[in-house]
Amino acid sequence: MKSILRLLVPLRLRLDIKPSAKLLTEYDLYQYQDIVRALQSADVTLFHQSKDRFEGDFIRWSIFYLIDNLRLVMFRHVFRKLLAALNHHIVAITDVTVALKVAGYKTPVGEDPSDADAECIIVNLIGEDLVKAYVSWQLKKIVVAKTGAFPSLRKASKAPE
């Protein structure tokens, strides 16, 4: 049962279905506790620390890619919080950069994110159908759909080709 849950938990997290703390405790899946907490609070730092701390376990269980893929769900939560705070459907790229800094995101070389990093993240979210929006490159703004901007992750998840 535990080996099934090791795979099922990250798959369901990708669909934004979070396991209960009781389930994680009952089956001694402590490796996921901080990841779930990070996804709930959009805490990029906590997510990366937890992913790095249990990297060996995730690799041994052959789920490291699944865990790493949750980064997009994390960035979606950060962007969703930003939109809620701004209360507007047009967002400047610089606002996304600031939101990423506040959430604790660092580039792979440990630097603060740039506007180009923010653009890349947003384009990936759009490409994966996690956010309904487009980027206005001339204005350096992201125009988000007024309704249905964040489709259900169950609908957004693409089947492997």
Side-chain angles (χ1 to χ4, degrees):
M1 180 69 160
K2 186 175 179 177
S3 61
I4 293 171
L5 285 173
R6 286 179 182 156
L7 178 62
L8 191 58
V9 168
L11 288 173
R12 291 180 61 95
L13 283 172
R14 178 62 172 88
L15 299 175
D16 211 23
I17 302 170
K18 294 167 183 70
S20 68
K22 180 183 175 191
L23 177 90
L24 296 177
T25 304
E26 183 177 335
Y27 290 98
D28 195 32
L29 296 170
Y30 58 89
Q31 295 89 344
Y32 296 111
Q33 289 173 340
D34 284 341
I35 288 179
V36 171
R37 200 172 308 120
L39 287 171
Q40 287 173 331
S41 62
D43 186 342
V44 178
T45 303
L46 179 61
F47 177 80
H48 284 292
Q49 287 172 347
S50 182
K51 184 184 80 160
D52 292 345
R53 183 170 58 244
F54 298 113
E55 181 176 346
D57 292 335
F58 298 146
I59 289 171
R60 189 170 48 258
W61 301 336
S62 301
I63 60 166
F64 182 76
Y65 178 72
L66 292 174
I67 299 297
D68 194 51
N69 200 15
L70 291 174
R71 284 180 315 123
L72 287 176
V73 175
M74 169 70 60
F75 292 136
R76 180 181 193 255
H77 287 300
V78 171
F79 190 59
R80 182 179 232 160
K81 281 187 164 191
L82 173 64
L83 279 179
L86 294 177
N87 199 24
H88 200 268
H89 73 283
I90 299 174
V91 181
I93 299 275
T94 55
D95 292 340
V96 177
T97 305
V98 170
L100 289 170
K101 287 178 187 175
V102 169
Y105 176 70
K106 298 283 185 191
T107 64
V109 294
E111 298 174 351
D112 283 339
S114 66
D115 287 350
D117 295 320
E119 287 173 0
C120 269
I121 289 169
I122 294 300
V123 167
N124 278 303
L125 290 175
I126 294 169
E128 291 290 325
D129 293 331
L130 298 175
V131 175
K132 300 293 180 193
Y134 68 89
V135 178
S136 171
W137 300 107
Q138 291 88 2
L139 301 176
K140 295 278 191 187
K141 298 204 184 276
I142 302 150
V143 181
V144 183
K146 289 183 180 180
T147 59
F150 296 94
S152 166
L153 287 179
R154 295 173 195 153
K155 292 179 183 176
S157 293
K158 296 179 180 178
E161 297 177 9

